Amino acid sequence: MSVSEGARPDPSRVRLVGFDADGTLTERGIFWDDHGKGLRRFDVRDGIAMQWAARAGLAVVVISGKDSPALGARLEELGVPGFQGVLDKPACLETFARERGIPLADCAFLGDDLPDVPVMRRVGYPMAVADAHPIVHAVAAWHATSPGGYGAAREAIEHLLQASGRWADVLARYDAADLALGAAAGTFE
Amino acid sequence: MSVSEGARPDPSRVRLVGFDADGTLTERGIFWDDHGKGLRRFDVRDGIAMQWAARAGLAVVVISGKDSPALGARLEELGVPGFQGVLDKPACLETFARERGIPLADCAFLGDDLPDVPVMRRVGYPMAVADAHPIVHAVAAWHATSPGGYGAAREAIEHLLQASGRWADVLARYDAADLALGAAAGTFE
Amino acid sequence: MSVSEGARPDPSRVRLVGFDADGTLTERGIFWDDHGKGLRRFDVRDGIAMQWAARAGLAVVVISGKDSPALGARLEELGVPGFQGVLDKPACLETFARERGIPLADCAFLGDDLPDVPVMRRVGYPMAVADAHPIVHAVAAWHATSPGGYGAAREAIEHLLQASGRWADVLARYDAADLALGAAAGTFE
Amino acid sequence: MSVSEGARPDPSRVRLVGFDADGTLTERGIFWDDHGKGLRRFDVRDGIAMQWAARAGLAVVVISGKDSPALGARLEELGVPGFQGVLDKPACLETFARERGIPLADCAFLGDDLPDVPVMRRVGYPMAVADAHPIVHAVAAWHATSPGGYGAAREAIEHLLQASGRWADVLARYDAADLALGAAAGTFE
């Protein structure tokens, strides 16, 4: 039920995927200690997938409306570019994409809540975590089956790599190339 | 199954909403470290909704029976007024409301456990988190579908803003005004 | 499917209830930091119930096979007696009970895993958390519907207070005495 | 649906079981603080089972692709050998097993994600946590019903001890020998 006007959303065109942080890369909870410092929970499988994407030529960027040292440390470990305290997410993504010569029509964005709606309405391939707000689901062209912080980013990246034919390279690295055919999430088990 | 006597509970009248903290704004767990300090888990979507409420003219206050520096830090970040270590919740809410010229009949309170029952029986619109104690559900006029700490406060605030016609303003801020009609939680997806 | 020989398990006789710690008062997870310190997650509703029990004349004690400063801090805050690093749980409970003139036949014990089986087989009223090991369920006379760390202790205490006619006193304290009849967990909602 | 060629996977032959760490011994989340330090959640029932295994003559080893002081501290407490920052998991396990005179055909390995596939394809008895990636499930001969970090390792060890007739010894230690017959997970309750 995408609101993108014109062309039908096409995951195989995506060359850059942006991610919201709180509620998307992390679960929606923040664990506060006595000093007002917040722990955030990231999923290890999201992290490895972001590294796969970068090596496979699918650019990745994180755009957060908040400021969190925990997010900064996490992104530094992963080697993923990120912007924090961003008030205008569409402008931020557009600038980042233009510098790489990528139009917004070839960008995806994974979000969970209302502040993600403006940027999701501008990209060619808007994506929602499973536990996204109903309005976020309404503007998304693709819907993860995993909640934010529990593998939604991983699922999104696998989906984009499969759509553009880059998934087999990842499997080959793990001695699993012969298992590629049935590799769409959920088809085994 | 409300116990409020007289008038039928009416969410459109609510001008002030109070929240319990542990089990309502946080999940029921407290994470204790070796020094007896407790981490508490708050939901990011609850926080942003409290800020929407304040801007939309729906007053918000947190009333907790316990004392927790983590809660204090969280409230300070959000700019939300709160009272901790409160033995008499009804008196605390009544004083806070009276200073703003609001009768208890125009107040809501969201709670989860027995210590919230006395104040819930005094307000016009008592609300329960999804995982509230059965007796708390019995005195509530409205029941969240989300558990405490997992979006119950967010759901309560959206419900009150929708009932009083203030929800469209929030959506407009996020380039989502045209999606307002179906915006009741759960109707998309 | 209790293994207690002789008399049928009778919750109304219970005057002392013992609790295992890890997996029973906490969830089964321990959160380890870089220094090998472990955070443990306790349920706020368990804590308040332990205080109700003590005031209502139902003695409470925690017996843990491990040593954890976090547990010690939690028990001190609640004012609940506890023993840590206990190798022989039956002997520990028996001594504690004898000092209070209570035979093991009038004791309950709530556990989750194999190390709790020996003490559960000695008390008159063995209880299991919902996610207990199958063998622990096999020796229990009562089974919580809540997992360990998510309200199992609270549920156990409400059950024992109701069986011995002491639950109405708790409700009265919270302006809920008139709601006592349907108060068995799960009957509302 | 194992891919092991030749002999049918036989749990009674297993003399050494290897475990991945993140997502297998821990849940998939890492909790990051402001200093980029990560908390990891381990299951207490996994830990006690690793100690049972070692005493029962079933060798145990942890092989992780990452480096985490929290994992090191956890393994030291349990007295379990482990290797971190391992790039070549099959070579690491093979060397460890050969030093003990155990062929890979008599080894098991419990994993959750693609980096575990190469070693799982080399051992005689590959095992997957319940929330493993579909491709990991496809190469596994045995599938836990518990997710990683929530008892999958415990379940795996009980399965291997039962298959090799060593489970009754564990039960005897806990005064539960007479309950051994029905002890397969899930048959009570």
Side-chain angles (χ1 to χ4, degrees):
Chain A
M1 219 185 314
S2 164
V3 299
S4 348
E5 60 287 324
R8 203 159 162 260
D10 176 2
S12 73
R13 283 181 54 179
V14 174
R15 295 159 57 201
L16 166 62
V17 52
F19 295 95
D20 170 52
D22 287 328
T24 299
L25 292 185
T26 74
E27 60 141 323
R28 292 154 52 177
I30 301 179
F31 298 79
W32 283 63
D33 70 13
D34 281 1
H35 310 293
K37 302 266 172 86
L39 270 80
R40 280 160 161 84
R41 182 191 174 285
F42 294 91
D43 191 290
V44 287
R45 291 197 206 159
D46 286 353
I48 198 173
M50 289 177 138
Q51 296 179 318
W52 294 339
R55 274 185 231 151
L58 172 64
V60 167
V61 66
V62 175
I63 300 178
S64 173
K66 291 191 141 195
D67 250 312
S68 145
L71 174 60
R74 169 67 168 161
L75 294 178
E76 194 180 318
E77 196 210 37
L78 292 173
V80 166
F83 300 89
Q84 301 200 48
V86 175
L87 295 180
D88 186 340
K89 289 186 180 187
C92 178
L93 182 67
E94 190 160 26
T95 302
F96 185 85
R98 194 190 314 123
E99 288 167 4
R100 279 146 194 82
I102 305 174
L104 282 182
D106 294 351
C107 291
F109 193 90
L110 179 70
D112 80 304
D113 201 4
L114 294 182
D116 301 314
V117 168
V119 66
M120 289 177 67
R121 297 190 96 163
R122 305 279 290 279
V123 297
Y125 202 69
M127 309 170 95
V129 303
D131 59 335
H133 189 276
I135 285 186
V136 171
H137 275 301
V139 299
W142 180 89
H143 310 267
T145 62
S146 309
Y150 291 91
R154 165 67 170 263
E155 212 185 313
I157 288 172
E158 286 198 23
H159 169 65
L160 295 174
L161 292 180
Q162 288 174 9
S164 60
R166 287 175 281 203
W167 180 232
D169 287 348
V170 175
L171 292 184
R173 201 174 310 143
Y174 296 111
D175 187 19
D178 55 316
L179 302 163
L181 287 184
T187 57
F188 289 103
E189 194 180 1
Chain B
M1 219 186 315
S2 163
V3 299
S4 346
E5 60 287 324
R8 202 157 163 263
D10 176 3
S12 73
R13 283 182 54 180
V14 174
R15 295 159 58 199
L16 165 63
V17 52
F19 296 95
D20 170 51
D22 287 327
T24 299
L25 291 185
T26 74
E27 60 140 324
R28 293 154 51 177
I30 302 179
F31 298 79
W32 284 63
D33 70 13
D34 281 1
H35 309 293
K37 302 265 172 85
L39 270 79
R40 281 161 161 84
R41 183 190 173 285
F42 294 91
D43 191 291
V44 287
R45 292 198 206 158
D46 286 353
I48 197 172
M50 288 176 139
Q51 296 178 319
W52 294 339
R55 274 184 232 153
L58 173 64
V60 167
V61 66
V62 175
I63 300 178
S64 173
K66 290 191 141 194
D67 250 313
S68 146
L71 174 61
R74 170 67 167 162
L75 295 178
E76 194 181 316
E77 196 211 36
L78 292 173
V80 167
F83 300 90
Q84 301 200 47
V86 175
L87 296 179
D88 187 340
K89 289 185 180 186
C92 178
L93 181 67
E94 191 160 26
T95 302
F96 185 86
R98 194 190 313 123
E99 288 168 4
R100 278 145 194 83
I102 304 174
L104 283 182
D106 294 351
C107 291
F109 193 90
L110 179 70
D112 80 305
D113 201 5
L114 294 181
D116 301 315
V117 168
V119 66
M120 289 176 67
R121 297 190 95 164
R122 303 279 289 281
V123 297
Y125 201 69
M127 309 170 94
V129 302
D131 59 335
H133 189 276
I135 285 185
V136 171
H137 275 301
V139 299
W142 180 88
H143 309 267
T145 63
S146 309
Y150 291 90
R154 165 67 171 265
E155 213 185 313
I157 288 171
E158 286 198 24
H159 168 64
L160 295 174
L161 292 179
Q162 288 173 8
S164 60
R166 286 175 281 201
W167 180 232
D169 288 347
V170 175
L171 292 184
R173 201 174 311 144
Y174 295 112
D175 187 19
D178 54 318
L179 302 164
L181 287 184
T187 56
F188 289 103
E189 196 182 1
Chain C
M1 217 186 317
S2 163
V3 298
S4 348
E5 60 286 325
R8 203 158 161 260
D10 177 3
S12 73
R13 283 180 55 178
V14 173
R15 295 159 57 199
L16 166 63
V17 52
F19 296 94
D20 170 51
D22 287 327
T24 299
L25 291 185
T26 74
E27 61 141 322
R28 292 154 51 177
I30 302 179
F31 297 78
W32 284 63
D33 70 14
D34 280 1
H35 309 293
K37 303 264 172 89
L39 271 80
R40 281 162 160 83
R41 183 191 175 283
F42 295 91
D43 191 292
V44 286
R45 292 198 206 157
D46 286 353
I48 197 172
M50 288 177 138
Q51 296 179 318
W52 294 339
R55 276 185 230 151
L58 173 65
V60 167
V61 66
V62 175
I63 300 178
S64 172
K66 290 190 140 195
D67 250 312
S68 146
L71 174 61
R74 169 67 168 162
L75 295 177
E76 194 180 317
E77 195 210 39
L78 292 174
V80 167
F83 300 90
Q84 301 200 47
V86 175
L87 296 180
D88 186 341
K89 289 186 179 185
C92 179
L93 182 67
E94 190 161 25
T95 303
F96 185 85
R98 194 190 313 122
E99 289 167 6
R100 279 146 194 83
I102 303 174
L104 283 182
D106 294 351
C107 291
F109 193 90
L110 179 70
D112 80 304
D113 201 5
L114 294 182
D116 301 315
V117 168
V119 66
M120 289 176 67
R121 297 190 95 165
R122 305 280 290 280
V123 297
Y125 201 69
M127 310 170 94
V129 303
D131 60 335
H133 189 275
I135 286 185
V136 171
H137 275 301
V139 299
W142 180 88
H143 310 266
T145 62
S146 309
Y150 291 90
R154 165 67 171 265
E155 210 185 316
I157 289 172
E158 287 199 22
H159 169 64
L160 295 173
L161 293 179
Q162 288 174 8
S164 59
R166 286 174 281 202
W167 180 233
D169 288 346
V170 175
L171 292 184
R173 201 174 310 144
Y174 296 111
D175 187 19
D178 54 316
L179 301 164
L181 287 184
T187 57
F188 290 103
E189 196 181 2
Chain D
M1 218 186 316
S2 164
V3 299
S4 346
E5 60 287 324
R8 205 161 159 256
D10 176 3
S12 74
R13 282 182 55 180
V14 174
R15 294 159 60 199
L16 166 63
V17 52
F19 296 94
D20 170 53
D22 287 327
T24 299
L25 291 185
T26 74
E27 61 140 321
R28 292 155 51 178
I30 302 180
F31 298 78
W32 285 62
D33 70 14
D34 280 1
H35 309 294
K37 301 265 173 88
L39 270 79
R40 281 160 160 85
R41 183 190 174 284
F42 294 91
D43 191 291
V44 287
R45 292 198 206 158
D46 287 352
I48 198 172
M50 289 177 138
Q51 296 179 319
W52 295 339
R55 274 185 232 151
L58 173 65
V60 166
V61 67
V62 174
I63 299 178
S64 173
K66 291 191 141 196
D67 250 311
S68 145
L71 174 60
R74 170 66 169 163
L75 294 178
E76 194 180 317
E77 195 211 37
L78 292 174
V80 167
F83 300 90
Q84 301 201 47
V86 175
L87 296 179
D88 186 341
K89 289 186 180 187
C92 179
L93 182 67
E94 189 160 26
T95 302
F96 185 85
R98 194 190 313 123
E99 288 168 3
R100 279 146 194 83
I102 303 175
L104 283 181
D106 294 351
C107 291
F109 193 90
L110 179 70
D112 81 303
D113 201 4
L114 294 182
D116 301 314
V117 169
V119 65
M120 289 177 67
R121 297 190 96 164
R122 304 279 290 279
V123 298
Y125 201 69
M127 310 170 94
V129 303
D131 59 336
H133 188 276
I135 285 185
V136 171
H137 275 302
V139 299
W142 180 88
H143 310 266
T145 63
S146 309
Y150 291 91
R154 165 65 171 266
E155 213 184 313
I157 289 171
E158 286 199 23
H159 169 64
L160 294 173
L161 292 179
Q162 288 173 8
S164 60
R166 285 174 282 201
W167 180 233
D169 288 348
V170 175
L171 292 184
R173 201 174 312 143
Y174 295 111
D175 188 19
D178 54 316
L179 301 164
L181 287 184
T187 57
F188 289 104
E189 195 180 358

